[in-house]
Amino acid sequence: MSLSYRFSDPGLRELALTHRSVGKPNNERLEFLGDALLGAIIAEMLYEVHPKASEGELSRLRAQLVNGQALACTARELALGDELKLGSGELKTGGFRRDSILADAFEAMVAAVYLDGGFDACRQSVRELFGEQIAALRRSSKDAKTRLQEWLQAGGWPLPQYQLTASHGEDHAKTFDVSCSIGEPHPIQAHASGSSRRNAEQDAAESVLNQLLERHRRP
């Protein structure tokens, strides 16, 4: 994997690879911009590739691609760690191998391409880098409760708790209000309503899972 884009202003590329441990200027502002650009472009790609996917499914697919670990992996494939500028403390502790630093550098590089060549150049670069990954993704047939349970079990965390908080309406058209809550690795609670308790639980589980994946975009 390689970044085919060639910078008109090499200083932007250098800035993208400069960690805050060096001092100022550094890549923090670029990382902020790159995070937004990357999320938007990946969302566009997924929207095109999966025309029947729901909003929740698209969010889950994006979270598989745009998270700290996945972006760090892409940064390693681009060998960005070899070019990072780090302060002495980060150098001593192996900062060039750390997922969070590599992921931030990659996002900063996306922003640097945007600032140097414009949105079309940035979009093309991201599409080249993520095209094969997105083509390989498959929408999971597993429901939200199963996916949440498997995610928690993989980390050794307690299973979620579901509670029926209310039901209202006529017997033939009842609405069920349900909560889904977890205590670890982060305390999260989500609420949802549905025409059946099962549907409400699925929606609540989807919300909790999306929040977990969002929080774990960074290690």
Side-chain angles (χ1 to χ4, degrees):
M1 180 183 289
S2 63
L3 183 65
S4 60
Y5 182 78
R6 296 293 176 263
F7 282 86
S8 299
D9 180 2
L12 280 170
R13 188 178 194 280
E14 182 178 345
L15 181 61
L17 296 169
T18 303
H19 187 252
R20 66 174 179 270
S21 59
V22 173
K24 292 186 177 181
N26 56 58
N27 66 4
E28 284 188 316
R29 283 170 52 83
L30 286 176
E31 182 267 326
F32 167 79
L33 178 58
D35 174 69
L37 288 165
L38 186 61
I41 296 169
I42 294 295
E44 177 189 47
M45 295 173 73
L46 291 170
Y47 186 86
E48 293 171 354
V49 172
H50 298 285
K52 295 183 179 180
S54 68
E55 184 273 340
E57 289 173 318
L58 291 171
S59 294
R60 179 182 57 77
L61 291 171
R62 182 175 59 182
Q64 291 182 37
L65 296 165
V66 186
N67 64 73
Q69 187 176 16
L71 296 183
C73 182
T74 301
R76 290 188 182 95
E77 292 176 347
L78 295 172
L80 295 186
D82 297 340
E83 302 179 71
L84 284 173
K85 288 189 173 183
L86 301 172
S88 58
E90 288 292 350
L91 281 171
K92 290 177 182 177
T93 58
F96 59 92
R97 292 190 296 265
R98 190 168 301 133
D99 279 4
S100 59
I101 291 178
L102 287 167
D104 287 350
F106 177 76
E107 290 181 329
M109 187 67 73
V110 170
V113 172
Y114 166 74
L115 292 175
D116 189 70
F119 182 74
D120 286 344
C122 177
R123 183 170 176 264
Q124 179 180 345
S125 295
V126 171
R127 282 178 168 264
E128 288 176 357
L129 290 173
F130 287 88
E132 289 186 9
Q133 294 183 57
I134 286 180
L137 283 175
R138 292 293 181 268
R139 291 170 58 196
S140 174
S141 60
K142 297 176 181 178
D143 62 34
K145 289 180 68 175
T146 301
R147 288 186 279 112
L148 175 59
Q149 178 175 315
E150 290 180 349
W151 194 97
L152 292 168
Q153 287 176 327
W157 309 114
L159 295 181
Q161 299 295 314
Y162 297 93
Q163 182 177 358
L164 179 64
T165 57
S167 62
H168 40 89
E170 300 293 332
D171 287 344
H172 66 281
K174 271 189 177 297
T175 298
F176 297 86
D177 300 334
V178 166
S179 68
C180 173
S181 58
I182 60 172
E184 299 178 76
H186 309 286
I188 298 175
Q189 185 176 65
H191 299 269
S193 300
S195 57
S196 72
R197 181 170 179 172
R198 182 184 183 280
N199 289 343
E201 288 180 348
Q202 292 291 348
D203 288 345
E206 186 79 57
S207 178
V208 169
L209 183 59
N210 286 339
Q211 292 180 63
L212 273 174
L213 293 173
E214 180 66 26
R215 293 191 185 199
H216 280 257
R217 289 183 64 192
R218 293 289 179 269

